[in-house]
Amino acid sequence: MPANEKLKETISHLPHKPGIYKFFDEKGIIYVGKAVDIRKRVSSYFNRSAQHNKKTLKLVSQIKDIEFTIVDTEADAFLLENNLIKQYQPKYNILLKDGKTYPYICIVNERFPRVISTRNKINDGSRYFGPYPSGTTMHVVLDLIRTLYPLRTCTYNLSPENIAAGKFKVCLEYHIGNCKGPCEALVDETTYNHYISQIRSILSGNLTIAKNYFKEHMAAAAAEFQFELAHQYKQKLDMLEDFQVKSTVVSNTLTNIDVFTITSNEQCAFLNYLKVMNGSIILTQSLEIQKKLDEADEDILASVIVQLRQEFESTSREVITNIEVALPLDNITVTYPQIGDKRKLLNLSLKNAMYLRREREGRQEKNRELSDQREIRVLEIMKKDLRLTELPRHIECFDNSNFQGDNPVASMVCFKNGRPSKKDYRHFNIKTVVGPNDFESMYEIVTRRYRRLLDETQPLPQLIIIDGGKGQLSFAVKALKDLDIWGKVAIVGIAKRLEEIFYPGDNLPLYIDKKSESLRLIQRIRDEAHRFAITFHRSKRDAGTLKTELTDIKGIGPVISDQLLNKYRSVKKLRELTLEELTIEIGKAKATILYNYLHTSEKL
């Protein structure tokens, strides 16, 4: 069964149920999607009347097989799609960074718990906080905790039996005041666990308990005239206040909110995520996502919301966004505030997304400027190497192509500022020359090209390159003289064998240093002209063969053959069509004749 028949059969048996679908090529999964109705969504990819973009058409052309999974609800499909994209990383899905390498702060499940950093979560009863968007952010919080609270850092087994037996001795951390010495029972477990309780509150975004603790102890120490101790508590209180200010206090009335904003251009989307707890922004993350299939902003944002909430373990029930987005998740409210504190929070997030966009676009523009500078530098070298009177910003190169005199064609490629200008490329069918005559063919195409530019008052190039030796060059020069533009445009020829550069009227070639950047650019232009000519020649030759073969079929005339020729270009592509597809193109009677002929000849 042909591949397209197999796909049609598969699609016809897809269910009208919510779920996910997977597209496969020969190597594996290339796309994962979700749908409320799997059959309708998958069928839409193969609907010829749909206005798909080029990227989607390329995806569809590579589909060899389809699989699906039915789920109970749209929300289940939403989450399953996200998990499968992370698992398989299909090349046509937008891909987000996997959060498994993000750092956490861990309160280890042990007697006299340690507070450590880790990137691996283990189900051992320990308490994990985070993940944090970067190691730097995590260490700021961890350093604050270690400054505020004297915690142990050793890995000793501080069981009551080991401590009672005197197995351990205090270390340097005790002597410099960073640890209270639980290894020698110099601090009781209740006091130590009280520190841990406050640390949990701080890591959860609630600084009130810790601040009240330091305020009370500062006041008590001052009342007992222990001013040095009171000052120590005051310093720790100031650290907490400073940390809270740096965390950006939004409003005491806003708690447990996720804020997502998006802005995009044609190639990329730029997003920002703010996590708000207890009136403060405790986490912010900006990211850039490359578009794969010209995805809409709302689709990208929906995927990002699901993944970032999973990676940063958000339990917020309210999500604020700057665009309307369908988020089929239970117990989640999506809002689009227009005024008030929530709007200020939304504007802050959008400001971060816009900053990332401007920074990335500015960097791309700078790279383009640097590239322009490099190209101009190469053109300056070319001007010097070829002894030109002006900078060759506009270069055109000609090449001929024929096979034993059949289907003679030619090409002209255009480079502007050292880069291909493909909209200015031209193909030529040789009209006035009979037989394989490269010299006369070169005269014809150069004449036609520049007569047209003169007629249309278009600017002439600063340099013409002829792919060939002295013969082709001399006929190109004759064309310029007959057009009365000889001397107005520089012209050279390049011979392939030794990469010799020929000048009109000079029998001795110029040899440019093989390492010269200008020679590499000339070679690149020459090779592009050759490629363009060869491609055109092959397509014309194949088209002639196809047309001849089709018109030899009884019942298929020149009109039908031209119609199929313009669309499919080869017999191989016609053989891949089903009878139904051919019927749509040329009618049932002629489709049956052509289908039987193609598939009978295929077996011979």
Side-chain angles (χ1 to χ4, degrees):
M1 182 183 293
N4 49 4
E5 282 292 329
K6 180 182 177 182
L7 289 178
K8 282 186 176 181
E9 181 72 13
T10 301
I11 294 170
S12 68
H13 289 89
L14 293 176
H16 291 289
K17 299 283 186 180
I20 61 95
Y21 53 91
K22 293 178 283 187
F23 292 155
F24 294 78
D25 64 4
E26 296 87 348
K27 298 179 181 178
I29 295 177
I30 57 174
Y31 186 76
V32 175
K34 63 182 179 299
V36 178
D37 185 313
I38 296 175
R39 187 190 297 183
K40 284 185 178 180
R41 182 70 186 98
V42 173
S43 298
S44 70
Y45 286 94
F46 299 87
N47 185 352
R48 291 191 176 186
S49 62
Q51 298 298 315
H52 294 310
N53 58 56
K54 291 182 179 179
K55 294 180 180 178
T56 303
L57 291 174
K58 185 176 180 181
L59 163 66
V60 172
S61 70
Q62 296 179 10
I63 299 172
K64 301 302 179 186
D65 197 8
I66 302 170
E67 292 183 0
F68 66 91
T69 301
I70 298 173
V71 295
D72 292 330
T73 65
E74 184 182 356
D76 293 335
F78 201 75
L79 295 173
L80 180 56
E81 177 201 36
N82 181 263
N83 292 334
L84 291 176
I85 290 173
K86 287 195 290 185
Q87 179 181 352
Y88 293 108
Q89 302 279 291
K91 66 179 181 179
Y92 285 102
N93 286 102
I94 58 171
L95 304 176
L96 305 181
K97 178 180 177 182
D98 195 335
K100 64 179 179 293
T101 60
Y102 286 137
Y104 292 82
I105 291 178
C106 173
I107 299 177
V108 183
N109 182 27
E110 58 192 10
R111 193 165 181 255
F112 297 104
R114 290 172 295 132
V115 179
I116 63 172
S117 64
T118 183
R119 290 179 182 268
N120 299 308
K121 291 183 68 175
I122 303 172
N123 189 19
D124 60 353
S126 299
R127 181 77 183 274
Y128 293 86
F129 296 87
Y132 292 88
S134 70
T136 302
T137 304
M138 181 272 297
H139 280 295
V140 168
V141 181
L142 190 59
D143 290 345
L144 171 71
I145 290 170
R146 288 175 175 171
T147 303
L148 293 175
Y149 301 98
L151 305 175
R152 76 179 181 109
T153 57
C154 63
T155 57
Y156 297 145
N157 178 11
L158 301 186
S159 65
E161 296 78 15
N162 289 341
I163 294 175
K167 286 189 174 183
F168 313 112
K169 296 293 181 182
V170 293
C171 62
L172 179 61
E173 290 294 309
Y174 171 80
H175 293 293
I176 62 177
N178 290 340
C179 177
K180 289 293 186 179
C183 57
E184 290 191 31
L186 299 178
V187 61
D188 63 273
E189 193 170 356
T190 301
T191 301
Y192 194 97
N193 286 339
H194 192 57
Y195 297 157
I196 296 299
S197 177
Q198 292 182 38
I199 291 170
R200 287 198 189 99
S201 297
I202 293 172
L203 293 175
S204 299
N206 183 6
L207 276 62
T208 304
I209 295 175
K211 286 166 66 176
N212 289 339
Y213 173 84
F214 291 128
K215 284 180 181 178
E216 292 171 2
H217 282 69
M218 179 181 67
E224 296 178 3
F225 303 104
Q226 295 178 327
F227 298 115
E228 184 175 349
L229 180 59
H231 180 66
Q232 292 175 2
Y233 284 122
K234 174 69 165 59
Q235 286 181 314
K236 293 184 177 185
L237 182 61
D238 289 343
M239 288 180 189
L240 279 175
E241 296 281 3
D242 183 57
F243 176 73
Q244 188 169 30
V245 169
K246 289 179 179 178
S247 298
T248 309
V249 177
V250 181
S251 170
N252 291 330
T253 62
L254 300 180
T255 59
N256 301 343
I257 296 174
D258 286 336
V259 185
F260 291 90
T261 53
I262 184 171
T263 178
S264 68
N265 56 31
E266 292 181 358
Q267 293 81 33
C268 301
F270 307 89
L271 302 101
N272 177 259
Y273 168 44
L274 301 179
K275 186 175 183 179
V276 180
M277 294 188 68
N278 300 310
S280 296
I281 297 173
I282 65 167
L283 184 149
T284 177
Q285 177 83 318
S286 295
L287 64 158
E288 174 186 2
I289 294 177
Q290 298 289 329
K291 293 183 179 180
K292 297 295 182 70
L293 298 171
D294 294 335
E295 296 88 351
D297 283 359
E298 52 267 29
D299 295 331
I300 296 175
L301 186 57
S303 298
V304 170
I305 289 174
V306 172
Q307 182 150 342
L308 289 187
R309 281 176 59 88
Q310 287 179 349
E311 291 181 354
F312 292 106
E313 301 176 1
S314 174
T315 58
S316 302
R317 296 300 183 188
E318 182 176 4
V319 173
I320 296 175
T321 69
N322 64 320
I323 64 171
E324 293 190 10
V325 58
L327 204 63
L329 300 177
D330 295 334
N331 301 319
I332 300 293
T333 302
V334 182
T335 58
Y336 323 97
Q338 302 300 314
I339 58 173
D341 290 338
K342 291 183 179 180
R343 181 65 198 187
K344 292 177 182 178
L345 193 59
L346 184 67
N347 289 341
L348 177 62
S349 176
L350 187 58
K351 184 184 295 184
N352 280 274
M354 289 298 298
Y355 178 85
L356 177 64
R357 176 177 177 176
R358 286 192 295 269
E359 188 270 333
R360 291 289 192 270
E361 291 177 343
R363 185 184 302 174
Q364 292 172 359
E365 182 63 29
K366 185 176 181 180
N367 289 338
R368 280 194 293 269
E369 290 175 359
L370 291 174
S371 179
D372 289 341
Q373 292 173 8
R374 178 190 173 280
E375 300 297 350
I376 296 300
R377 179 176 58 79
V378 174
L379 294 180
E380 292 282 3
I381 297 172
M382 182 184 290
K383 177 185 175 184
K384 180 179 178 181
D385 286 344
L386 297 181
R387 305 163 196 167
L388 305 176
T389 59
E390 58 182 325
L391 198 67
R393 291 181 176 272
H394 180 176
I395 303 172
E396 295 186 350
C397 181
F398 294 84
D399 186 28
N400 294 320
S401 178
N402 66 76
F403 179 70
Q404 296 179 347
D406 292 333
N407 300 312
V409 297
S411 72
M412 185 280 295
V413 298
C414 178
F415 275 57
K416 292 183 177 179
N417 292 321
R419 296 176 186 164
S421 179
K422 295 195 174 183
K423 65 183 180 65
D424 296 310
Y425 284 19
R426 294 293 182 270
H427 283 134
F428 298 91
N429 289 304
I430 303 302
K431 299 179 179 179
T432 63
V433 180
V434 179
N437 190 327
D438 285 345
F439 299 156
E440 292 289 350
S441 296
M442 185 62 69
Y443 176 84
E444 177 187 329
I445 61 175
V446 172
T447 300
R448 287 167 56 188
R449 169 61 178 168
Y450 296 115
R451 178 180 288 132
R452 180 161 189 169
L453 290 188
L454 292 171
D455 291 344
E456 296 176 355
T457 63
Q458 296 293 320
L460 297 171
Q462 284 88 36
L463 175 64
I464 299 171
I465 300 174
I466 302 300
D467 183 11
K470 290 184 289 184
Q472 286 95 331
L473 178 61
S474 63
F475 274 77
V477 169
K478 183 176 183 296
L480 297 184
K481 288 179 178 179
D482 290 347
L483 292 170
D484 197 25
I485 57 174
W486 168 244
K488 297 179 181 180
V489 183
I491 182 169
V492 297
I494 178 170
K496 295 176 183 176
R497 189 171 65 87
L498 297 175
E499 305 293 29
E500 302 165 316
I501 304 295
F502 288 96
Y503 288 91
D506 191 342
N507 291 326
L508 296 177
L510 170 69
Y511 293 95
I512 300 177
D513 186 341
K514 294 295 189 290
K515 297 181 180 179
S516 172
E517 290 180 292
S518 67
L519 179 60
R520 286 202 293 269
L521 178 56
I522 292 171
Q523 291 169 330
R524 179 186 171 200
I525 296 171
R526 186 270 315 280
D527 293 344
E528 177 69 354
H530 185 66
R531 179 201 65 79
F532 197 51
I534 288 294
T535 302
F536 181 44
H537 179 262
R538 285 174 179 166
S539 65
K540 186 177 179 182
R541 184 182 63 199
D542 293 345
T545 302
L546 173 60
K547 188 172 183 179
T548 301
E549 184 171 354
L550 292 180
T551 51
D552 286 344
I553 304 172
K554 187 176 181 179
I556 305 296
V559 175
I560 296 297
S561 64
D562 285 341
Q563 176 185 334
L564 296 174
L565 163 66
N566 291 332
K567 187 167 185 178
Y568 294 102
R569 298 287 178 182
S570 71
V571 172
K572 180 181 178 182
K573 289 184 178 179
L574 284 175
R575 281 199 178 105
E576 292 175 353
L577 299 179
T578 64
L579 180 60
E580 290 77 11
E581 289 171 328
L582 279 173
T583 301
I584 295 173
E585 295 290 344
I586 58 176
K588 186 174 181 180
K590 288 181 170 56
T592 303
I593 294 171
L594 180 57
Y595 185 85
N596 291 337
Y597 170 83
L598 291 174
H599 292 275
T600 301
S601 62
E602 185 180 22
K603 296 174 184 178
L604 295 178

